[in-house]
Amino acid sequence: MGRRLVPLTLDNLQDLPGSCRACVFWELDPVSGEAAVTGGTAAPEKESWISAVLLDWGSCGRVVYVDDVPVGFVLYAPPAYVPRSMAFPTSPVSSDAVQLITAFVLPAYQGQGLGRVMVQTVAKDLLRRGIKAIEAFGDARWKEPACVLPAHHLLAVGFKTVRPHPRSPRLRLELRSTLSWKEDVEMALDRLLGAVQKEPALRPL
């Protein structure tokens, strides 16, 4: 099984699930977001947001492919680009952190470690860019896929709670202070990226 994580661009935006391509929950403030949904402009607003972040800041997401089939994605950006984050009771995101906005994996591909690999890939990208930490808002009462990630999943992949809340805790993953974790990231990515090339060589001719 070949797995690839590719930077999100306008060219592969169509590989996100339909509901996510037209979701502006994070990209706009609550009032503007509701207006975009009501007015039918959510999809263009999403495209405009991604374009602006790419131009101003750089890579802000990854799309996950398994055997060339898009099965998930992750989105992240500095909090200044995420208006909805200020609507949370545990805001604001720390000034030295990038916000892990949201992520999704198709149900058929869950339980295979893709969520952890996505976080590791984001961490490696941000380490290269000199970012100190990742923060995210979690849903402590999560029951089904939504725009806010389940708090228990964030805790499972290494985040720690920095501001508790019964519904919307804010969590943080330190990057530069955990060199051993960085090495784990490197090893995991080497295994992931090497799988496609190395696997055929192990097959009998």
Side-chain angles (χ1 to χ4, degrees), residues 10-201:
L10 296 179
D11 293 332
N12 60 12
L13 178 59
Q14 72 276 3
D15 288 341
L16 270 58
S19 59
C20 298
R21 287 198 304 271
C23 176
V24 287
F25 176 85
W26 289 106
E27 293 82 355
L28 298 174
D29 64 79
V31 174
S32 300
E34 184 176 347
V37 172
T38 303
T41 62
E45 288 282 2
K46 181 89 165 192
E47 184 173 328
S48 176
W49 183 88
I50 290 173
S51 178
V53 178
L54 284 171
L55 287 171
D56 293 345
W57 183 68
S59 181
C60 60
R62 291 291 187 275
V63 183
V64 185
Y65 297 89
V66 174
D67 294 333
D68 295 324
V69 176
V71 303
F73 75 96
V74 59
L75 203 60
Y76 54 98
Y81 293 95
V82 193
R84 172 73 69 155
S85 67
M86 293 305 298
F88 280 73
T90 50
S91 65
V93 170
S94 301
S95 59
D96 64 349
V98 162
Q99 183 179 344
L100 179 66
I101 300 172
T102 192
F104 176 78
V105 175
L106 290 174
Y109 293 87
Q110 293 174 6
Q112 300 179 20
L114 289 176
R116 181 177 292 274
V117 171
M118 285 194 294
V119 171
Q120 291 173 335
T121 304
V122 172
K124 184 171 184 179
D125 176 38
L126 296 179
L127 278 167
R128 286 172 173 167
R129 295 156 78 170
I131 304 299
K132 182 178 179 181
I134 308 172
E135 292 193 359
F137 296 100
D139 184 350
R141 302 175 186 173
W142 188 90
K143 294 182 179 179
E144 59 187 14
C147 299
V148 183
L149 294 169
H152 68 269
H153 172 74
L154 293 167
L155 291 169
V157 297
F159 281 76
K160 306 295 183 185
T161 302
V162 291
R163 188 161 180 196
H165 188 271
R167 179 60 187 266
S168 304
R170 178 161 51 87
L171 303 99
R172 180 178 174 97
L173 180 65
E174 299 287 348
L175 298 182
R176 290 200 258 186
S177 63
T178 52
L179 295 178
S180 62
W181 195 87
K182 180 182 177 182
E183 292 171 1
D184 289 343
V185 171
E186 298 282 354
M187 290 176 61
L189 287 166
D190 286 343
R191 288 196 298 269
L192 173 66
L193 299 175
V196 178
Q197 297 176 354
K198 294 176 184 177
E199 185 179 351

